[in-house]
Amino acid sequence: MRSETDQMTGGREESVVEIQFRDIPGGQDAVSVNSKQKEEKKEVFTKVVIRRLPPNLSKDQLEEQLSPLPPYDYFEFFPADQSLYPHLFSRVYINFRNPEDILLFRDRFDGYVFIDNKGQEYPAVVEFAPFQKVSKKKLKKKDSKAGSIEEVTLGKQ
Protein backbone atom coordinates (compact mmCIF):
# COMPACT_ATOMS: atom_id res chain seq x y z
CA MET A 1 0.00 0.00 0.00
CA ARG A 2 0.97 3.51 -0.65
CA SER A 3 1.33 6.14 1.96
CA GLU A 4 -1.04 9.11 2.08
CA THR A 5 1.48 11.46 0.48
CA ASP A 6 2.06 9.07 -2.38
CA GLN A 7 -1.69 8.83 -2.98
CA MET A 8 -2.07 12.63 -3.05
CA THR A 9 0.75 13.17 -5.52
CA GLY A 10 -0.16 10.20 -7.59
CA GLY A 11 3.14 8.46 -6.94
CA ARG A 12 5.20 11.35 -8.29
CA GLU A 13 8.08 12.58 -6.31
CA GLU A 14 8.15 16.27 -5.58
CA SER A 15 11.43 18.09 -5.60
CA VAL A 16 12.18 21.52 -4.26
CA VAL A 17 14.20 23.82 -6.49
CA GLU A 18 16.19 26.52 -4.78
CA ILE A 19 16.99 29.68 -6.73
CA GLN A 20 19.62 32.09 -5.55
CA PHE A 21 19.85 35.66 -6.78
CA ARG A 22 23.13 37.45 -7.13
CA ASP A 23 23.75 41.18 -7.09
CA ILE A 24 24.49 42.39 -10.59
CA PRO A 25 27.29 44.96 -10.68
CA GLY A 26 25.45 46.90 -13.43
CA GLY A 27 22.63 47.67 -10.99
CA GLN A 28 24.16 51.01 -10.16
CA ASP A 29 23.75 52.14 -13.78
CA ALA A 30 20.05 51.38 -13.61
CA VAL A 31 19.74 53.52 -10.49
CA SER A 32 21.38 56.50 -12.21
CA VAL A 33 19.05 56.13 -15.22
CA ASN A 34 16.03 56.05 -12.90
CA SER A 35 17.20 59.19 -11.11
CA LYS A 36 17.56 60.98 -14.46
CA GLN A 37 14.01 60.01 -15.38
CA LYS A 38 12.75 61.32 -12.05
CA GLU A 39 14.54 64.61 -12.61
CA GLU A 40 12.83 64.97 -15.99
CA LYS A 41 9.45 64.23 -14.43
CA LYS A 42 10.05 66.93 -11.82
CA GLU A 43 10.22 69.58 -14.54
CA VAL A 44 8.22 72.56 -13.38
CA PHE A 45 5.47 73.83 -15.65
CA THR A 46 5.32 77.61 -15.80
CA LYS A 47 3.50 78.35 -19.06
CA VAL A 48 -0.30 78.52 -19.03
CA VAL A 49 -2.93 79.11 -21.68
CA ILE A 50 -6.23 80.90 -21.21
CA ARG A 51 -8.74 79.57 -23.71
CA ARG A 52 -12.30 80.48 -24.75
CA LEU A 53 -11.80 84.23 -24.60
CA PRO A 54 -14.25 86.47 -26.49
CA PRO A 55 -13.44 86.67 -30.22
CA ASN A 56 -13.51 90.47 -30.40
CA LEU A 57 -11.33 90.96 -27.30
CA SER A 58 -8.15 92.96 -27.93
CA LYS A 59 -4.79 92.47 -26.26
CA ASP A 60 -5.07 95.80 -24.42
CA GLN A 61 -8.55 94.97 -23.11
CA LEU A 62 -7.34 91.57 -21.92
CA GLU A 63 -4.31 93.02 -20.13
CA GLU A 64 -6.60 95.50 -18.42
CA GLN A 65 -8.94 92.75 -17.19
CA LEU A 66 -6.09 90.48 -16.07
CA SER A 67 -4.21 93.19 -14.17
CA PRO A 68 -2.50 93.00 -11.78
CA LEU A 69 -0.58 90.03 -13.17
CA PRO A 70 2.22 88.24 -11.29
CA PRO A 71 5.71 88.65 -12.83
CA TYR A 72 5.95 86.98 -16.24
CA ASP A 73 8.48 86.83 -19.07
CA TYR A 74 6.24 85.81 -21.97
CA PHE A 75 2.81 87.07 -23.01
CA GLU A 76 1.45 86.09 -26.43
CA PHE A 77 -2.11 86.92 -27.48
CA PHE A 78 -3.84 85.18 -30.39
CA PRO A 79 -7.08 86.72 -31.68
CA ALA A 80 -9.93 84.54 -32.93
CA ASP A 81 -9.52 82.89 -36.33
CA GLN A 82 -12.58 83.84 -38.40
CA SER A 83 -12.25 80.70 -40.55
CA LEU A 84 -13.21 78.55 -37.53
CA TYR A 85 -16.76 79.91 -37.32
CA PRO A 86 -18.83 79.16 -35.16
CA HIS A 87 -15.99 78.22 -32.77
CA LEU A 88 -14.51 81.68 -32.52
CA PHE A 89 -12.34 82.15 -29.45
CA SER A 90 -9.22 84.11 -28.63
CA ARG A 91 -6.46 82.72 -26.42
CA VAL A 92 -3.38 83.92 -24.60
CA TYR A 93 -0.19 82.19 -23.44
CA ILE A 94 1.61 83.46 -20.33
CA ASN A 95 4.86 82.14 -18.89
CA PHE A 96 5.16 83.01 -15.20
CA ARG A 97 8.52 83.40 -13.50
CA ASN A 98 7.34 81.88 -10.22
CA PRO A 99 5.48 78.52 -10.33
CA GLU A 100 3.58 79.31 -7.11
CA ASP A 101 1.87 82.23 -8.87
CA ILE A 102 0.17 79.83 -11.27
CA LEU A 103 -2.12 78.41 -8.59
CA LEU A 104 -3.29 81.85 -7.52
CA PHE A 105 -3.79 82.87 -11.13
CA ARG A 106 -5.74 79.70 -11.92
CA ASP A 107 -7.96 80.10 -8.87
CA ARG A 108 -8.73 83.66 -9.93
CA PHE A 109 -9.32 83.21 -13.68
CA ASP A 110 -10.36 79.58 -14.30
CA GLY A 111 -14.08 79.90 -14.96
CA TYR A 112 -13.90 83.71 -14.93
CA VAL A 113 -16.68 85.02 -17.18
CA PHE A 114 -15.58 87.52 -19.82
CA ILE A 115 -18.39 89.56 -21.36
CA ASP A 116 -18.05 90.94 -24.88
CA ASN A 117 -19.58 94.16 -26.24
CA LYS A 118 -22.76 92.28 -27.32
CA GLY A 119 -23.35 90.99 -23.79
CA GLN A 120 -22.44 87.37 -24.53
CA GLU A 121 -20.67 85.50 -21.76
CA TYR A 122 -17.45 83.55 -22.28
CA PRO A 123 -16.24 81.48 -19.30
CA ALA A 124 -12.46 81.19 -19.60
CA VAL A 125 -10.46 78.00 -19.15
CA VAL A 126 -6.98 78.19 -17.60
CA GLU A 127 -4.68 75.19 -18.08
CA PHE A 128 -1.03 74.36 -18.58
CA ALA A 129 0.14 74.99 -22.12
CA PRO A 130 0.74 71.74 -24.00
CA PHE A 131 4.05 73.09 -25.30
CA GLN A 132 6.03 74.49 -22.36
CA LYS A 133 8.91 76.04 -24.27
CA VAL A 134 8.89 79.76 -24.90
CA SER A 135 9.56 80.94 -28.42
CA LYS A 136 12.33 83.43 -28.81
CA LYS A 137 11.62 86.70 -30.51
CA LYS A 138 13.45 86.72 -33.81
CA LEU A 139 15.25 89.87 -34.74
CA LYS A 140 14.03 91.13 -38.05
CA LYS A 141 17.12 91.77 -40.11
CA LYS A 142 16.87 94.16 -42.94
CA ASP A 143 17.07 92.33 -46.23
CA SER A 144 20.34 93.34 -47.94
CA LYS A 145 18.73 92.98 -51.38
CA ALA A 146 15.79 95.25 -50.57
CA GLY A 147 15.86 98.37 -52.75
CA SER A 148 18.84 97.13 -54.78
CA ILE A 149 16.97 97.48 -58.11
CA GLU A 150 16.38 101.17 -57.52
CA GLU A 151 20.02 101.65 -56.56
CA VAL A 152 21.22 99.97 -59.76
CA THR A 153 18.86 101.91 -62.03
CA LEU A 154 19.72 105.20 -60.33
CA GLY A 155 23.44 104.50 -60.61
CA LYS A 156 23.23 103.96 -64.39
CA GLN A 157 21.72 107.37 -65.10
Side-chain angles (χ1 to χ4, degrees):
M1 275 199 139
R2 294 183 186 169
S3 67
E4 287 181 21
T5 56
D6 288 342
Q7 288 176 356
M8 291 174 76
T9 59
R12 290 179 284 150
E13 292 185 24
E14 291 185 21
S15 62
V16 177
V17 177
E18 215 173 289
I19 300 173
Q20 294 180 354
F21 294 101
R22 291 183 286 156
D23 288 337
I24 300 171
Q28 293 174 350
D29 294 335
V31 171
S32 64
V33 170
N34 289 339
S35 65
K36 287 179 184 177
Q37 289 175 348
K38 287 180 183 177
E39 288 175 12
E40 290 175 6
K41 289 181 182 177
K42 291 181 182 179
E43 181 182 335
V44 179
F45 294 139
T46 57
K47 187 175 171 187
V48 297
V49 59
I50 306 173
R51 300 182 194 275
R52 299 187 157 266
L53 296 171
N56 55 2
L57 187 69
S58 70
K59 182 177 179 178
D60 295 333
Q61 291 171 337
L62 178 65
E63 286 177 341
E64 183 181 315
Q65 290 189 15
L66 294 179
S67 67
L69 271 176
Y72 61 90
D73 56 4
Y74 180 77
F75 188 94
E76 188 75 30
F77 177 76
F78 293 94
D81 184 0
Q82 299 299 322
S83 67
L84 297 176
Y85 182 82
H87 306 288
L88 299 176
F89 298 108
S90 300
R91 67 187 186 282
V92 66
Y93 294 91
I94 306 171
N95 189 42
F96 293 103
R97 292 183 187 157
N98 190 357
E100 287 91 30
D101 293 335
I102 295 172
L103 294 175
L104 297 171
F105 182 81
R106 184 207 55 197
D107 292 342
R108 184 173 162 203
F109 287 106
D110 191 27
Y112 182 85
V113 178
F114 289 87
I115 300 174
D116 68 354
N117 53 9
K118 296 177 184 174
Q120 291 183 335
E121 296 180 351
Y122 293 87
V125 177
V126 177
E127 54 194 17
F128 285 115
F131 186 70
Q132 284 292 311
K133 293 183 180 178
V134 176
S135 65
K136 297 178 182 176
K137 296 286 183 184
K138 294 182 181 178
L139 297 175
K140 293 185 178 180
K141 287 183 163 182
K142 184 181 176 188
D143 188 6
S144 61
K145 305 269 183 186
S148 60
I149 295 177
E150 288 87 18
E151 291 173 7
V152 172
T153 56
L154 291 175
K156 289 183 179 179
Q157 291 178 358

